[in-house]
Amino acid sequence: MEIKGVIFDLDGVLCSTDRFHFAAWQSLAQQLSIPFTEADNRRMRGVSRMESLGILLEKADRAFSPAERASLASAKNDRYRALLAGLSPADLSEDTKQALATLRAMGLKLAVGSSSRNARFILDRLGLADFFDAVADGTEIARSKPDPEVFLLAARKLALPPARCLVVEDASAGISAAVAGGFAAAGISTAKDDERAVFHLANLSDLAALLARG
């Protein structure tokens, strides 16, 4: 397996904005008098905003029209972006910084493949806006993970075939997307033990050593 490019999911891999998602969804849930737990929040990991809203509204005592759902999703995103404004380069771990620098020094092409429509905003806040060779995000795709569209787009932007790219993911939906698109996958965090992954990472710094071995 000759890897020429690495495509990273953003949230949960390069950084963690889970606390901001939870706070924003919890605020909306309280507004609607719907219970919302950490377990509900974990179910939303790796899926689109509208799918996440559907998870929250499973506990609602009434149905919501498409227009109402769109308004609720927009309100959640406004709250989330307000919280994201507090992100800074200090939120990027030393392990992540070192791993990215090492992979770059190895001559690999690097990309972000995220279903989030806020990916570029997050990268900017982290000081990574100009670091990656390509960014594919939720503003450019019609289908979110587990569909492979975002990873296929990232690979095209890198001018590499899926077979020459490794996807790094922390969610089952992301591993599914990688496999469906013909990519090798590395699992980290909650996806570390996914049997479909070819690499199982305790942290990102493990990745360079594994790729160096070929």
Side-chain angles (χ1 to χ4, degrees):
M1 181 175 60
E2 187 180 8
I3 297 299
K4 296 293 187 181
V6 182
I7 302 172
F8 299 91
D9 178 37
L10 179 56
D11 195 11
V13 175
L14 296 177
C15 67
S16 178
T17 63
D18 200 57
R19 66 192 187 278
F20 299 140
H21 278 296
F22 180 74
W25 283 120
Q26 188 176 54
S27 176
L28 183 63
Q30 290 172 346
Q31 174 187 327
L32 298 172
S33 299
I34 296 173
F36 184 70
T37 67
E38 290 279 6
D40 296 322
N41 195 57
R42 285 192 294 272
R43 286 179 61 201
M44 296 174 176
R45 188 170 290 153
V47 302
S48 71
R49 189 184 310 158
M50 294 308 295
E51 289 173 297
S52 295
L53 178 63
I55 291 170
L56 184 146
L57 295 181
E58 288 174 358
K59 299 178 182 179
D61 57 8
R62 72 175 182 87
F64 290 80
S65 70
E68 287 177 313
R69 285 173 176 257
S71 178
L72 291 173
S74 179
K76 182 269 173 182
N77 190 55
D78 288 345
R79 175 60 177 155
Y80 175 60
R81 283 181 65 90
L83 293 169
L84 285 179
L87 273 179
S88 76
D91 290 290
L92 202 63
S93 73
E94 287 303 318
D95 178 81
T96 298
K97 292 176 187 176
Q98 184 59 48
L100 291 174
T102 301
L103 293 169
R104 172 71 75 208
M106 290 171 63
L108 293 164
K109 291 185 176 182
L110 306 180
V112 169
S114 171
S115 295
S116 173
R117 300 175 69 86
N118 294 302
R120 285 178 171 81
F121 180 69
I122 293 170
L123 290 171
D124 182 62
R125 298 302 304 163
L126 292 173
L128 292 175
D130 300 318
F131 179 82
F132 292 93
D133 299 296
V135 175
D137 67 13
T139 66
E140 302 171 284
I141 59 173
R143 300 173 301 280
S144 60
K145 304 166 192 176
D147 190 282
E149 183 181 8
V150 73
F151 294 143
L152 292 170
L153 176 59
R156 287 198 299 274
K157 289 186 175 189
L158 292 178
L160 292 172
R164 292 291 177 262
C165 296
L166 177 72
V167 167
V168 185
E169 261 287 351
D170 75 314
S172 176
I175 298 290
S176 295
V179 172
F183 298 87
I188 195 169
S189 186
T190 55
K192 177 187 174 185
D193 297 321
D194 195 303
E195 294 179 354
R196 298 167 296 172
V198 296
F199 296 131
H200 306 273
L201 309 176
N203 47 59
L204 281 183
S205 61
D206 291 342
L207 186 57
L210 289 167
L211 291 178
R213 292 176 197 162

